[in-house]
Amino acid sequence: MKLSLHSRHYLVLYPLLATLLSLTACDDTDMSIVKDAPPTHCCDHHPLNIDSFRFALSGERVHPESSFSVSLQMPADALIESAKMQGITMYMGTIPVLFKQIDARVWQADIMVGACSEPNMLWQLDVRVSHRGQVQTLAYPINVTHP
């Protein structure tokens, strides 16, 4: 019995597809991603206090194209109106930043910045907050270095 070209493709593709599906179905807890999991307060590095607001980073060093977290501790009656990252050393556009509330006074954002030709680049997180009828922009400088 002679198989058509179309049938021969299925003979090759079905075992390949079955193998791929079995590999992806393995339970590897190290690779699992939990969406919408509540963030935890993880930021203690490079603290900066501005009036009653306090910034801190999740790690001692920040690298381009790697996620890092920033926490903002602030009065419970303060509101974050907007936040963005922008390059200071070199203009690389503006990156919007979204904060999630951890508790009544702590907010956290996960951020990633792009790589540039400079081995060290200064970025700045600008957070516009309102507190007791006053609106101000808080500037938190972040040094990003290539690994």
Side-chain angles (χ1 to χ4, degrees):
M1 178 169 130
K2 186 173 181 180
L3 295 173
S4 69
L5 179 62
H6 187 69
S7 296
R8 280 184 263 159
H9 282 9
Y10 282 114
L11 288 175
V12 172
L13 290 177
Y14 278 135
L16 180 61
L17 183 59
T19 302
L20 288 174
L21 287 174
S22 69
L23 290 175
T24 59
C26 294
D27 182 21
D28 187 355
T29 56
D30 291 336
M31 294 178 59
S32 66
I33 297 173
V34 179
K35 292 191 179 222
D36 298 325
T40 57
H41 181 63
C42 64
C43 305
D44 297 317
H45 300 277
H46 303 286
L48 175 66
N49 294 310
I50 303 171
D51 299 326
S52 56
F53 299 87
R54 182 182 190 271
F55 287 98
L57 285 175
S58 57
E60 183 64 32
R61 299 187 196 284
V62 174
H63 302 295
E65 299 177 348
S66 296
S67 181
F68 62 94
S69 297
V70 174
S71 70
L72 173 57
Q73 187 173 6
M74 59 186 198
D77 60 343
L79 295 172
I80 297 173
E81 293 189 0
S82 64
K84 64 182 178 181
M85 286 287 290
Q86 59 186 359
I88 301 299
T89 306
M90 175 186 298
Y91 179 74
M92 294 187 65
T94 300
I95 302 168
V97 174
L98 300 174
F99 278 87
K100 291 182 182 178
Q101 192 168 11
I102 305 300
D103 63 33
R105 299 190 67 230
V106 178
W107 293 75
Q108 183 176 308
D110 296 320
I111 305 170
M112 185 182 306
V113 297
C116 72
S117 60
E118 299 290 324
N120 297 308
M121 179 154 168
L122 182 63
W123 288 79
Q124 183 169 291
L125 173 61
D126 291 324
V127 181
R128 185 178 161 98
V129 295
S130 60
H131 183 238
R132 297 187 178 153
Q134 299 288 322
V135 176
Q136 63 181 337
T137 299
L138 307 171
Y140 182 51
I142 301 172
N143 191 36
V144 178
T145 59
H146 284 279

